[in-house]
Structure formats: C-alpha cells, structure tokens
Amino acid sequence: MSNRLFDALVQGAEQQAQKAPFTIETLRQLIEAMKTAPDYDHYYRASYDALMKVIEEDERKGARVNAFGRLLVHPLDTLFAEDKLDRRLIGNYFFFVRSLFGDEVDVMAEEAASIAEELRVAGGGPLDWAEYYADTRVKQLYFKVAARVMKSFRVFETRKEWAMKVMQHDPTAVGISSNVYIERPFEGQALPFGEREFYLFFDGLIRPLAKLSSEDAALFKTATGEDAAKLAGNFLRELDHYGRF
C-alpha cells in the first residue's frame, strides 16, 4: 500500500516539475494535497478495508492457536483476574501439562482449534468463548487433562515438590504449542508459587470436578474411564493439607 502511495507521489511530482522548477516546498504542498484530495478517498477506504481484513484474520488465527491454552486456564480465570495468582505462572502451567502428555498436547491443541473454528464459522462472527467452553467435545478435552494431572499425584508429596519447582521457574519464553513461543522479559527470580499458591492453583483446577452435574460426570467417565467424584475427592483430601494459609 505504501508503494502505491509512493508511485502516486512520484507521478504527481513529475507533473509539477513539468510546470515549474521542483522544490522542497512544492513537495510539501503536493503531499498535503494527497492527504485531503477526494481523488484518494477510494484508495484510503480500500487500504482501511484491507488492513481490517488482516486484523480480523489475525484475530481468528489467535483464537485458533489460543483455544487449548484458554481451555486449560479457564477454571483459574477468577484467581488471575483478582491477582490471587500471578499470570506469569500460565506459561509454567503449559509446560507442566506438556510434561505429562508430551506430543499428545499438539494433537489436543489442534482438536481444540478445529472446534473453535467450527463454532466461530457457525456463529458467523467472533468466537463465543462461553459456547466453546460448554461444548461437550471441549469439556472432554479438559477432563482428559485434569484426570492426567490428578493421577500424576499418586505419590502426592513427591509430585508436589516437582510441580512447585516447575511453577517457580522464570522462563524467557512461553511455549503455547510445539513451534509457537512467546518471548518475555527474564526477571531472574523464582515466580511466587509457595504452598498458598499451590493450594489455590490446584484447588481451582480440581474442586469443580468433585461436583459435576450428572451429564458432565458421564462425559468425564467417557473421556477418561474414571469416576470424577472419586478421583477428585482423593486428590482434594491430599490437597486440603496445604490449605491452611
């Protein structure tokens, strides 16, 4: 788009130069005329439309890339919004999940992105995140992650110590998929994740699973082969030892 403007400027300059010696003041006058001349209105409108299409496409791509990450973080939204947990912990949370699933994370992320795009297209506008979270396929994805997290804590104290080290790490980049990373400043210190944060974080993730509706409990069973109330109950009994802060 800039190239087209430069071409128009050169063409205008050539025409002015044929009439009189071309000076810097002539150039200034020509540029001011290009800013306001009705002849350029259609170009500016077309340029604006093109930019808006790029922005909208970028937003759609962002929603697709971010769909799985948003799903993982959704149960903790209130804790982050109220600053009870540091948002920098989100990247470490993604690393924690990847350590449990390996490359399977990429398969789940692609599935989440496909569902998000399907819902967006069907809605004919921006993705409705509430509708996305309520989708049974999306719920099952989250249940798979939550079940794997809970089962990884079979030896609770050992896994707790490892999880706290992971969550305290201050990385210089956050990986949201196998080949997409977000750079961020290195602050050179452990992130705030002591026993208080440990309790808040995992309580926020797991406690809702102990009181699922009958329909969601059935979805959990289908997705994981586990009883949600039993699995979550066992986890929360261990977790509650760390809830005195």
Side-chain angles (χ1 to χ4, degrees):
M1 289 186 288
S2 297
N3 286 344
R4 290 176 60 188
L5 273 179
F6 289 141
D7 288 343
L9 178 60
V10 169
Q11 184 178 8
E14 289 173 342
Q15 292 174 354
Q16 291 296 322
Q18 291 174 0
K19 301 175 184 177
F22 196 83
T23 65
I24 292 297
E25 183 57 33
T26 305
L27 177 62
R28 288 196 183 97
Q29 292 173 359
L30 181 59
I31 290 173
E32 287 302 317
M34 289 178 65
K35 289 179 182 179
T36 58
D39 289 347
Y40 289 95
D41 283 352
H42 70 284
Y43 169 77
Y44 295 132
R45 283 195 298 270
S47 298
Y48 175 81
D49 291 342
L51 286 171
M52 288 305 298
K53 287 178 181 177
V54 170
I55 291 170
E56 289 169 1
E57 180 61 24
D58 191 58
E59 288 177 345
R60 285 196 292 270
K61 288 179 180 178
R64 284 180 56 82
V65 170
N66 204 25
F68 187 57
R70 287 280 292 265
L71 173 62
L72 295 183
V73 174
H74 177 56
L76 304 171
D77 281 345
T78 301
L79 292 172
F80 286 122
E82 295 176 354
D83 292 326
K84 292 180 179 178
L85 290 173
D86 191 318
R87 293 195 69 85
R88 291 176 298 166
L89 295 170
I90 292 174
N92 293 10
Y93 174 32
F94 292 163
F95 176 81
F96 177 76
V97 171
R98 180 170 286 279
S99 73
L100 298 179
F101 283 91
D103 291 342
E104 193 179 344
V105 164
D106 297 322
V107 177
M108 292 190 294
E110 182 56 37
E111 184 178 351
S114 296
I115 296 170
E117 182 66 5
E118 176 189 319
L119 294 175
R120 187 199 65 77
V121 171
L127 177 62
D128 183 332
W129 286 104
E131 180 185 8
Y132 170 76
Y133 297 135
D135 190 279
T136 56
R137 297 165 296 175
V138 172
K139 287 182 178 181
Q140 286 181 306
L141 277 177
Y142 179 72
F143 292 158
K144 288 178 184 178
V145 173
R148 184 77 62 89
V149 168
M150 287 186 282
K151 288 192 285 186
S152 76
F153 277 83
R154 281 200 173 94
V155 182
F156 199 92
E157 188 63 28
T158 301
R159 177 60 73 173
K160 168 183 172 286
E161 294 303 318
W162 178 82
M164 290 184 71
K165 289 179 181 177
V166 169
M167 297 301 288
Q168 288 168 354
H169 179 57
D170 189 9
T172 56
V174 174
I176 58 177
S177 75
S178 63
N179 59 357
V180 178
Y181 292 87
I182 300 173
E183 298 293 331
R184 68 177 188 76
F186 176 63
E187 300 189 8
Q189 60 186 9
L191 297 183
F193 199 84
E195 290 197 351
R196 173 186 176 277
E197 289 77 16
F198 175 82
Y199 177 83
L200 286 173
F201 190 91
F202 286 100
D203 183 76
L205 288 178
I206 305 305
R207 196 166 297 276
L209 301 176
K211 45 189 176 183
L212 293 175
S213 67
S214 57
E215 292 83 1
D216 283 348
L219 274 178
F220 191 98
K221 182 75 172 180
T222 299
T224 69
E226 301 282 350
D227 181 287
K230 181 179 179 181
L231 193 60
N234 291 338
F235 181 92
L236 291 171
R237 274 192 293 276
E238 295 281 358
L239 181 67
D240 283 342
H241 292 301
Y242 304 95
R244 306 181 189 89
F245 47 81

PDB file of all heavy atoms in Angstrom, residues 33-55:
ATOM      1  N   ALA A  33      -1.704  17.974  -0.357  1.00  0.00           N
ATOM      2  CA  ALA A  33      -2.839  17.793  -1.271  1.00  0.00           C
ATOM      3  C   ALA A  33      -3.256  16.326  -1.325  1.00  0.00           C
ATOM      4  O   ALA A  33      -4.458  16.003  -1.352  1.00  0.00           O
ATOM      5  CB  ALA A  33      -2.466  18.290  -2.664  1.00  0.00           C
ATOM      6  N   MET A  34      -2.271  15.414  -1.309  1.00  0.00           N
ATOM      7  CA  MET A  34      -2.582  13.980  -1.358  1.00  0.00           C
ATOM      8  C   MET A  34      -3.318  13.525  -0.095  1.00  0.00           C
ATOM      9  O   MET A  34      -4.114  12.586  -0.132  1.00  0.00           O
ATOM     10  CB  MET A  34      -1.300  13.169  -1.530  1.00  0.00           C
ATOM     11  CG  MET A  34      -0.664  13.294  -2.906  1.00  0.00           C
ATOM     12  SD  MET A  34       0.886  12.362  -3.034  1.00  0.00           S
ATOM     13  CE  MET A  34       0.290  10.674  -2.838  1.00  0.00           C
ATOM     14  N   LYS A  35      -3.060  14.191   1.024  1.00  0.00           N
ATOM     15  CA  LYS A  35      -3.712  13.803   2.281  1.00  0.00           C
ATOM     16  C   LYS A  35      -5.213  14.087   2.250  1.00  0.00           C
ATOM     17  O   LYS A  35      -5.992  13.390   2.905  1.00  0.00           O
ATOM     18  CB  LYS A  35      -3.080  14.560   3.452  1.00  0.00           C
ATOM     19  CG  LYS A  35      -1.668  14.121   3.798  1.00  0.00           C
ATOM     20  CD  LYS A  35      -1.130  14.974   4.963  1.00  0.00           C
ATOM     21  CE  LYS A  35       0.303  14.595   5.325  1.00  0.00           C
ATOM     22  NZ  LYS A  35       0.825  15.447   6.440  1.00  0.00           N
ATOM     23  N   THR A  36      -5.606  15.134   1.524  1.00  0.00           N
ATOM     24  CA  THR A  36      -7.003  15.585   1.595  1.00  0.00           C
ATOM     25  C   THR A  36      -7.756  15.503   0.277  1.00  0.00           C
ATOM     26  O   THR A  36      -8.983  15.676   0.266  1.00  0.00           O
ATOM     27  CB  THR A  36      -7.048  17.039   2.089  1.00  0.00           C
ATOM     28  OG1 THR A  36      -6.273  17.859   1.196  1.00  0.00           O
ATOM     29  CG2 THR A  36      -6.464  17.155   3.497  1.00  0.00           C
ATOM     30  N   ALA A  37      -7.072  15.242  -0.824  1.00  0.00           N
ATOM     31  CA  ALA A  37      -7.731  15.255  -2.138  1.00  0.00           C
ATOM     32  C   ALA A  37      -8.775  14.143  -2.240  1.00  0.00           C
ATOM     33  O   ALA A  37      -8.491  12.989  -1.910  1.00  0.00           O
ATOM     34  CB  ALA A  37      -6.691  15.092  -3.239  1.00  0.00           C
ATOM     35  N   PRO A  38      -9.999  14.458  -2.694  1.00  0.00           N
ATOM     36  CA  PRO A  38     -11.051  13.448  -2.860  1.00  0.00           C
ATOM     37  C   PRO A  38     -10.626  12.309  -3.784  1.00  0.00           C
ATOM     38  O   PRO A  38     -11.122  11.183  -3.659  1.00  0.00           O
ATOM     39  CB  PRO A  38     -12.216  14.247  -3.463  1.00  0.00           C
ATOM     40  CG  PRO A  38     -11.960  15.664  -3.050  1.00  0.00           C
ATOM     41  CD  PRO A  38     -10.471  15.810  -3.035  1.00  0.00           C
ATOM     42  N   ASP A  39      -9.709  12.585  -4.698  1.00  0.00           N
ATOM     43  CA  ASP A  39      -9.269  11.544  -5.636  1.00  0.00           C
ATOM     44  C   ASP A  39      -8.662  10.341  -4.899  1.00  0.00           C
ATOM     45  O   ASP A  39      -8.614   9.232  -5.454  1.00  0.00           O
ATOM     46  CB  ASP A  39      -8.216  12.112  -6.607  1.00  0.00           C
ATOM     47  CG  ASP A  39      -8.831  13.090  -7.598  1.00  0.00           C
ATOM     48  OD1 ASP A  39     -10.081  13.119  -7.679  1.00  0.00           O
ATOM     49  OD2 ASP A  39      -8.074  13.822  -8.258  1.00  0.00           O
ATOM     50  N   TYR A  40      -8.180  10.575  -3.709  1.00  0.00           N
ATOM     51  CA  TYR A  40      -7.522   9.487  -2.972  1.00  0.00           C
ATOM     52  C   TYR A  40      -8.444   8.799  -1.954  1.00  0.00           C
ATOM     53  O   TYR A  40      -8.040   7.848  -1.295  1.00  0.00           O
ATOM     54  CB  TYR A  40      -6.276  10.020  -2.244  1.00  0.00           C
ATOM     55  CG  TYR A  40      -5.156  10.355  -3.177  1.00  0.00           C
ATOM     56  CD1 TYR A  40      -4.982  11.663  -3.640  1.00  0.00           C
ATOM     57  CD2 TYR A  40      -4.268   9.372  -3.626  1.00  0.00           C
ATOM     58  CE1 TYR A  40      -3.959  11.977  -4.526  1.00  0.00           C
ATOM     59  CE2 TYR A  40      -3.240   9.686  -4.500  1.00  0.00           C
ATOM     60  CZ  TYR A  40      -3.088  10.983  -4.944  1.00  0.00           C
ATOM     61  OH  TYR A  40      -2.071  11.293  -5.821  1.00  0.00           O
ATOM     62  N   ASP A  41      -9.672   9.318  -1.832  1.00  0.00           N
ATOM     63  CA  ASP A  41     -10.582   8.734  -0.838  1.00  0.00           C
ATOM     64  C   ASP A  41     -10.794   7.242  -1.066  1.00  0.00           C
ATOM     65  O   ASP A  41     -10.799   6.453  -0.118  1.00  0.00           O
ATOM     66  CB  ASP A  41     -11.937   9.453  -0.886  1.00  0.00           C
ATOM     67  CG  ASP A  41     -11.871  10.814  -0.203  1.00  0.00           C
ATOM     68  OD1 ASP A  41     -10.835  11.109   0.430  1.00  0.00           O
ATOM     69  OD2 ASP A  41     -12.860  11.560  -0.300  1.00  0.00           O
ATOM     70  N   HIS A  42     -10.993   6.850  -2.321  1.00  0.00           N
ATOM     71  CA  HIS A  42     -11.260   5.433  -2.605  1.00  0.00           C
ATOM     72  C   HIS A  42     -10.054   4.575  -2.226  1.00  0.00           C
ATOM     73  O   HIS A  42     -10.194   3.446  -1.748  1.00  0.00           O
ATOM     74  CB  HIS A  42     -11.590   5.255  -4.095  1.00  0.00           C
ATOM     75  CG  HIS A  42     -10.419   5.462  -5.005  1.00  0.00           C
ATOM     76  ND1 HIS A  42      -9.933   6.714  -5.312  1.00  0.00           N
ATOM     77  CD2 HIS A  42      -9.621   4.567  -5.652  1.00  0.00           C
ATOM     78  CE1 HIS A  42      -8.898   6.602  -6.120  1.00  0.00           C
ATOM     79  NE2 HIS A  42      -8.680   5.302  -6.341  1.00  0.00           N
ATOM     80  N   TYR A  43      -8.857   5.145  -2.413  1.00  0.00           N
ATOM     81  CA  TYR A  43      -7.644   4.394  -2.070  1.00  0.00           C
ATOM     82  C   TYR A  43      -7.544   4.201  -0.556  1.00  0.00           C
ATOM     83  O   TYR A  43      -7.241   3.107  -0.064  1.00  0.00           O
ATOM     84  CB  TYR A  43      -6.402   5.135  -2.579  1.00  0.00           C
ATOM     85  CG  TYR A  43      -5.127   4.544  -2.032  1.00  0.00           C
ATOM     86  CD1 TYR A  43      -4.613   3.363  -2.559  1.00  0.00           C
ATOM     87  CD2 TYR A  43      -4.467   5.145  -0.963  1.00  0.00           C
ATOM     88  CE1 TYR A  43      -3.465   2.796  -2.029  1.00  0.00           C
ATOM     89  CE2 TYR A  43      -3.319   4.598  -0.438  1.00  0.00           C
ATOM     90  CZ  TYR A  43      -2.823   3.413  -0.978  1.00  0.00           C
ATOM     91  OH  TYR A  43      -1.693   2.852  -0.451  1.00  0.00           O
ATOM     92  N   TYR A  44      -7.815   5.271   0.191  1.00  0.00           N
ATOM     93  CA  TYR A  44      -7.719   5.169   1.650  1.00  0.00           C
ATOM     94  C   TYR A  44      -8.773   4.205   2.192  1.00  0.00           C
ATOM     95  O   TYR A  44      -8.520   3.440   3.117  1.00  0.00           O
ATOM     96  CB  TYR A  44      -7.866   6.549   2.294  1.00  0.00           C
ATOM     97  CG  TYR A  44      -6.744   7.496   1.941  1.00  0.00           C
ATOM     98  CD1 TYR A  44      -6.996   8.789   1.508  1.00  0.00           C
ATOM     99  CD2 TYR A  44      -5.420   7.080   2.044  1.00  0.00           C
ATOM    100  CE1 TYR A  44      -5.963   9.652   1.183  1.00  0.00           C
ATOM    101  CE2 TYR A  44      -4.376   7.943   1.717  1.00  0.00           C
ATOM    102  CZ  TYR A  44      -4.655   9.230   1.283  1.00  0.00           C
ATOM    103  OH  TYR A  44      -3.626  10.074   0.951  1.00  0.00           O
ATOM    104  N   ARG A  45      -9.975   4.239   1.610  1.00  0.00           N
ATOM    105  CA  ARG A  45     -11.021   3.306   2.047  1.00  0.00           C
ATOM    106  C   ARG A  45     -10.610   1.872   1.758  1.00  0.00           C
ATOM    107  O   ARG A  45     -10.789   0.978   2.587  1.00  0.00           O
ATOM    108  CB  ARG A  45     -12.348   3.641   1.362  1.00  0.00           C
ATOM    109  CG  ARG A  45     -13.080   4.838   1.948  1.00  0.00           C
ATOM    110  CD  ARG A  45     -14.534   4.873   1.480  1.00  0.00           C
ATOM    111  NE  ARG A  45     -14.624   5.023   0.014  1.00  0.00           N
ATOM    112  CZ  ARG A  45     -14.683   6.197  -0.586  1.00  0.00           C
ATOM    113  NH1 ARG A  45     -14.660   7.312   0.119  1.00  0.00           N
ATOM    114  NH2 ARG A  45     -14.773   6.250  -1.895  1.00  0.00           N
ATOM    115  N   ALA A  46     -10.059   1.642   0.567  1.00  0.00           N
ATOM    116  CA  ALA A  46      -9.628   0.290   0.196  1.00  0.00           C
ATOM    117  C   ALA A  46      -8.483  -0.182   1.101  1.00  0.00           C
ATOM    118  O   ALA A  46      -8.436  -1.345   1.514  1.00  0.00           O
ATOM    119  CB  ALA A  46      -9.188   0.250  -1.270  1.00  0.00           C
ATOM    120  N   SER A  47      -7.578   0.748   1.428  1.00  0.00           N
ATOM    121  CA  SER A  47      -6.461   0.405   2.310  1.00  0.00           C
ATOM    122  C   SER A  47      -6.969   0.051   3.704  1.00  0.00           C
ATOM    123  O   SER A  47      -6.509  -0.912   4.330  1.00  0.00           O
ATOM    124  CB  SER A  47      -5.478   1.574   2.400  1.00  0.00           C
ATOM    125  OG  SER A  47      -4.931   1.858   1.126  1.00  0.00           O
ATOM    126  N   TYR A  48      -7.934   0.830   4.174  1.00  0.00           N
ATOM    127  CA  TYR A  48      -8.503   0.559   5.501  1.00  0.00           C
ATOM    128  C   TYR A  48      -9.179  -0.811   5.518  1.00  0.00           C
ATOM    129  O   TYR A  48      -8.988  -1.604   6.453  1.00  0.00           O
ATOM    130  CB  TYR A  48      -9.513   1.649   5.850  1.00  0.00           C
ATOM    131  CG  TYR A  48     -10.243   1.412   7.149  1.00  0.00           C
ATOM    132  CD1 TYR A  48      -9.658   1.729   8.377  1.00  0.00           C
ATOM    133  CD2 TYR A  48     -11.513   0.849   7.163  1.00  0.00           C
ATOM    134  CE1 TYR A  48     -10.318   1.504   9.578  1.00  0.00           C
ATOM    135  CE2 TYR A  48     -12.186   0.613   8.351  1.00  0.00           C
ATOM    136  CZ  TYR A  48     -11.584   0.940   9.555  1.00  0.00           C
ATOM    137  OH  TYR A  48     -12.245   0.716  10.723  1.00  0.00           O
ATOM    138  N   ASP A  49      -9.949  -1.094   4.478  1.00  0.00           N
ATOM    139  CA  ASP A  49     -10.626  -2.395   4.405  1.00  0.00           C
ATOM    140  C   ASP A  49      -9.619  -3.541   4.390  1.00  0.00           C
ATOM    141  O   ASP A  49      -9.822  -4.577   5.033  1.00  0.00           O
ATOM    142  CB  ASP A  49     -11.510  -2.466   3.161  1.00  0.00           C
ATOM    143  CG  ASP A  49     -12.719  -1.545   3.260  1.00  0.00           C
ATOM    144  OD1 ASP A  49     -13.051  -1.137   4.399  1.00  0.00           O
ATOM    145  OD2 ASP A  49     -13.325  -1.243   2.213  1.00  0.00           O
ATOM    146  N   ALA A  50      -8.523  -3.350   3.652  1.00  0.00           N
ATOM    147  CA  ALA A  50      -7.502  -4.397   3.579  1.00  0.00           C
ATOM    148  C   ALA A  50      -6.856  -4.623   4.946  1.00  0.00           C
ATOM    149  O   ALA A  50      -6.619  -5.769   5.358  1.00  0.00           O
ATOM    150  CB  ALA A  50      -6.442  -4.017   2.541  1.00  0.00           C
ATOM    151  N   LEU A  51      -6.567  -3.537   5.646  1.00  0.00           N
ATOM    152  CA  LEU A  51      -5.969  -3.656   6.981  1.00  0.00           C
ATOM    153  C   LEU A  51      -6.918  -4.351   7.953  1.00  0.00           C
ATOM    154  O   LEU A  51      -6.504  -5.187   8.765  1.00  0.00           O
ATOM    155  CB  LEU A  51      -5.593  -2.270   7.513  1.00  0.00           C
ATOM    156  CG  LEU A  51      -4.363  -1.626   6.877  1.00  0.00           C
ATOM    157  CD1 LEU A  51      -4.241  -0.178   7.333  1.00  0.00           C
ATOM    158  CD2 LEU A  51      -3.101  -2.389   7.254  1.00  0.00           C
ATOM    159  N   MET A  52      -8.209  -4.013   7.880  1.00  0.00           N
ATOM    160  CA  MET A  52      -9.184  -4.632   8.779  1.00  0.00           C
ATOM    161  C   MET A  52      -9.295  -6.134   8.510  1.00  0.00           C
ATOM    162  O   MET A  52      -9.431  -6.929   9.449  1.00  0.00           O
ATOM    163  CB  MET A  52     -10.551  -3.973   8.613  1.00  0.00           C
ATOM    164  CG  MET A  52     -10.625  -2.560   9.184  1.00  0.00           C
ATOM    165  SD  MET A  52     -10.127  -2.475  10.936  1.00  0.00           S
ATOM    166  CE  MET A  52     -11.359  -3.536  11.685  1.00  0.00           C
ATOM    167  N   LYS A  53      -9.194  -6.524   7.266  1.00  0.00           N
ATOM    168  CA  LYS A  53      -9.235  -7.956   6.944  1.00  0.00           C
ATOM    169  C   LYS A  53      -8.029  -8.677   7.536  1.00  0.00           C
ATOM    170  O   LYS A  53      -8.134  -9.799   8.032  1.00  0.00           O
ATOM    171  CB  LYS A  53      -9.284  -8.156   5.425  1.00  0.00           C
ATOM    172  CG  LYS A  53     -10.615  -7.796   4.806  1.00  0.00           C
ATOM    173  CD  LYS A  53     -10.602  -7.976   3.298  1.00  0.00           C
ATOM    174  CE  LYS A  53     -11.945  -7.583   2.694  1.00  0.00           C
ATOM    175  NZ  LYS A  53     -11.927  -7.684   1.202  1.00  0.00           N
ATOM    176  N   VAL A  54      -6.856  -8.030   7.475  1.00  0.00           N
ATOM    177  CA  VAL A  54      -5.650  -8.616   8.067  1.00  0.00           C
ATOM    178  C   VAL A  54      -5.824  -8.763   9.577  1.00  0.00           C
ATOM    179  O   VAL A  54      -5.491  -9.804  10.163  1.00  0.00           O
ATOM    180  CB  VAL A  54      -4.421  -7.734   7.756  1.00  0.00           C
ATOM    181  CG1 VAL A  54      -3.211  -8.201   8.563  1.00  0.00           C
ATOM    182  CG2 VAL A  54      -4.096  -7.780   6.269  1.00  0.00           C
ATOM    183  N   ILE A  55      -6.363  -7.723  10.215  1.00  0.00           N
ATOM    184  CA  ILE A  55      -6.560  -7.763  11.661  1.00  0.00           C
ATOM    185  C   ILE A  55      -7.549  -8.856  12.041  1.00  0.00           C
ATOM    186  O   ILE A  55      -7.335  -9.627  12.984  1.00  0.00           O
ATOM    187  CB  ILE A  55      -7.055  -6.394  12.170  1.00  0.00           C
ATOM    188  CG1 ILE A  55      -5.931  -5.356  12.029  1.00  0.00           C
ATOM    189  CG2 ILE A  55      -7.510  -6.486  13.625  1.00  0.00           C
ATOM    190  CD1 ILE A  55      -6.390  -3.934  12.270  1.00  0.00           C
TER     191      ILE A  55
END
